[in-house]
Amino acid sequence: MNARAHIAAAFDPLHYRTDFPLLARSVHGKPLIYFDNANTAQKPQSVIESVDRFYRETNANVARAMHALGEEATSAYEATRDKLARFINAPAREEVIFTSGTTQSINLVAYSYALPRLQPGDEILVTTMEHHANIVPWQLVCERTGAKLKVAPITQSGELIVDRFIELLTPSVKLAAVTHVSNVLGTINPMRELAKACRTRDIPLLVDGSQAAPHLTIDVQALGCDFYALTGHKLFGPTGTGALWARRELLEAMPPFFGGGEMIKTVTFEKTTFADLPAKFEAGTPNIAGFVGLGAAIDYVNAIGRDRIQTYERELLDYATTAFKSVPGLRLFGEAPHKAAVLAFLIDGVHAHDLAMLLDHEGIAVRSGHHCAHPLMQFYGVPATLRASLAFYNTRDEVDRFIAALTRVRKLLA
Ligand code: PLP
């Protein structure tokens, strides 16, 4: 057995499954198979308990209360900033801005960084495989400034054509925005190479890390990017939590996105001065309990070990890919050699939604639709696909039961 196989063999997903209460439930009388992790991940008991405990024992607002509860709440909330900074290897905790998720993180960059800088003739470079969250905010600021969106192409197998991406990095490009891992294809983009190409041309690079955070070890310094956006609920944490990491000099040069309490130094009717990082970008009362829960989620993932998660998921993906390909008439979307455990597919002559509904009756949760990636669906010439997205708590046995159910229900639709 080689070293990689040994780590995978030592990883017991059943051991971790018991940490996730929801995975024990049944749906339509069948044991749940939850294959919709790219949409949102389930939460371990430790995360649920940390949120519950916060409301039972600590609840107070952060940063403004001069009492013990306020201090405890603030330190629990700020502890997550330290954990997140370490989780992505940020050079400084102040560079981690809490947001409600990737969507808000990208909008923050669109409105605070891009909007004031863009001029007619400028361009923003994205790729064909972006989620709407990494397309629409750029379109909105382009409309207001006369700038244009430019799109780097992908291959049929779902890989970014890196040479074309680099060719498209012309002097008119003022920002590039690329997903680290595609939410539909699973493709892991070669971010270091892209970042290097951007850096040599002085073009800032934003990385959409929504789908990377639950699967990969993230090191923003090694990647060499300028902005990194992520979402907490896909990382086994509560909904309404996320973060933007950016290089300090960029954040310091950017005006605030939201105005309000907590983000100021002084306010008069004539002039307001703003707080230091990160508070400058965190107006109003945040999702305090949610961030406490996100801290617990990071602790949980760290305790398992991201290398072990990655190795196990790769092995599970290989197993699932072979199983999916054995189904007659099944077309897989996204066959990059370097990919995360996401399988988008269609079955000849069967509508994605019909299949998803029948699978639901078998207790199986998969997503069907455009996956917030209309342009990618247009690229493949399909209105929708099904998507099975796996996590470290999924098993080979679930893959087998999924394939058996798929074979059963497609007969009903034939
Ligand atoms: N980017 C990608 C690649 C995603 O998969 C998602 C969510 O599905 C988002 C952005 C948006 O994340 P959120 O809805 O948590 O803001």
Coordinates of all heavy atoms in Angstrom, one line a residue, residues 38-39 101-104 131 133 179 181 183 208 210-211 231 233-234, ligand 1:
A38 N -22.1 21.0 -1.9 CA -21.6 22.2 -2.5 C -22.6 23.3 -2.4 O -22.3 24.5 -2.5 CB -21.3 22.0 -4.0
N39 N -23.9 23.0 -2.1 CA -24.9 23.9 -1.9 C -24.8 24.5 -0.5 O -24.6 25.7 -0.3 CB -26.3 23.2 -2.1 CG -27.3 24.2 -2.6 OD1 -27.2 25.4 -2.6 ND2 -28.5 23.6 -2.9
G101 N -20.9 36.2 3.7 CA -20.6 35.1 2.8 C -19.9 35.6 1.6 O -19.6 36.8 1.5
T102 N -19.6 34.7 0.7 CA -18.8 35.0 -0.5 C -19.5 36.1 -1.3 O -18.8 37.0 -1.8 CB -18.7 33.8 -1.4 OG1 -17.9 32.8 -0.6 CG2 -17.9 34.1 -2.6
T103 N -20.8 36.1 -1.4 CA -21.5 37.1 -2.2 C -21.2 38.5 -1.7 O -20.9 39.4 -2.4 CB -23.1 36.8 -2.2 OG1 -23.3 35.4 -2.6 CG2 -23.8 37.8 -3.0
Q104 N -21.3 38.6 -0.3 CA -21.0 40.0 0.2 C -19.6 40.3 0.0 O -19.2 41.4 -0.2 CB -21.4 40.0 1.7 CG -21.4 41.5 2.2 CD -21.6 41.6 3.7 OE1 -22.3 40.9 4.3 NE2 -20.9 42.6 4.3
H131 N -19.5 31.3 -10.8 CA -20.8 31.4 -10.2 C -21.3 32.8 -10.4 O -20.5 33.7 -10.5 CB -20.6 31.1 -8.7 CG -21.8 31.0 -7.8 ND1 -22.5 32.1 -7.4 CD2 -22.5 30.0 -7.3 CE1 -23.5 31.7 -6.7 NE2 -23.5 30.4 -6.6
A133 N -22.3 34.8 -8.4 CA -21.7 35.8 -7.4 C -20.4 36.4 -7.9 O -20.0 37.4 -7.3 CB -21.6 35.0 -6.1
T179 N -12.7 31.6 -9.8 CA -13.0 30.6 -8.8 C -11.9 29.7 -8.5 O -11.2 29.2 -9.5 CB -14.4 29.9 -9.1 OG1 -14.8 29.2 -7.9 CG2 -14.2 28.9 -10.2
V181 N -12.3 26.7 -7.0 CA -12.9 25.4 -7.3 C -14.2 25.7 -7.9 O -15.0 26.4 -7.3 CB -13.0 24.5 -6.1 CG1 -13.7 23.2 -6.4 CG2 -11.6 24.2 -5.5
N183 N -18.1 25.2 -8.7 CA -19.1 24.6 -8.0 C -19.9 23.6 -8.8 O -20.7 22.8 -8.3 CB -20.1 25.7 -7.4 CG -20.8 26.5 -8.5 OD1 -20.2 26.9 -9.4 ND2 -22.1 26.6 -8.4
D208 N -12.4 33.4 -5.7 CA -13.6 32.9 -5.1 C -13.4 31.6 -4.5 O -13.3 30.6 -5.2 CB -14.8 32.9 -6.2 CG -16.1 32.3 -5.6 OD1 -16.1 31.8 -4.5 OD2 -17.1 32.3 -6.3
S210 N -15.2 29.9 -2.3 CA -16.4 29.2 -1.7 C -16.3 27.7 -1.6 O -16.6 27.1 -0.6 CB -17.7 29.5 -2.4 OG -17.8 30.9 -2.6
Q211 N -15.9 27.2 -2.8 CA -15.9 25.7 -2.9 C -14.6 25.1 -2.5 O -14.4 23.9 -2.4 CB -16.3 25.3 -4.3 CG -17.7 25.7 -4.7 CD -18.8 25.0 -3.9 OE1 -18.6 23.9 -3.3 NE2 -20.0 25.5 -4.0
T231 N -17.1 31.4 2.3 CA -18.4 31.4 2.9 C -18.4 30.3 4.0 O -17.7 29.3 3.8 CB -19.4 31.0 1.7 OG1 -20.3 32.0 1.5 CG2 -20.1 29.7 1.9
H233 N -21.0 28.7 5.5 CA -21.9 27.6 5.6 C -21.5 26.4 4.8 O -22.0 25.3 5.0 CB -23.4 28.0 5.2 CG -23.5 28.4 3.8 ND1 -24.0 27.6 2.8 CD2 -23.2 29.6 3.2 CE1 -24.0 28.2 1.7 NE2 -23.6 29.4 1.8
K234 N -20.6 26.6 3.8 CA -20.1 25.4 3.0 C -19.0 24.7 3.8 O -18.5 23.7 3.4 CB -19.7 25.9 1.6 CG -20.9 26.4 0.8 CD -20.4 26.8 -0.6 CE -21.3 27.8 -1.3 NZ -22.6 27.3 -1.7
Ligands
PLP1 N1 -19.1 31.2 -5.5 C1 -19.3 29.9 -5.6 C2 -18.3 29.1 -6.5 C3 -20.3 29.2 -5.0 O1 -20.5 27.9 -5.1 C4 -21.2 29.9 -4.2 C5 -22.4 29.3 -3.5 O2 -22.9 28.3 -4.1 C6 -21.0 31.3 -4.1 C7 -20.0 31.9 -4.7 C8 -22.0 32.2 -3.2 O3 -21.8 31.8 -1.9 P1 -22.8 32.4 -0.8 O4 -24.2 32.2 -1.4 O5 -22.5 31.7 0.4 O6 -22.6 33.9 -0.7

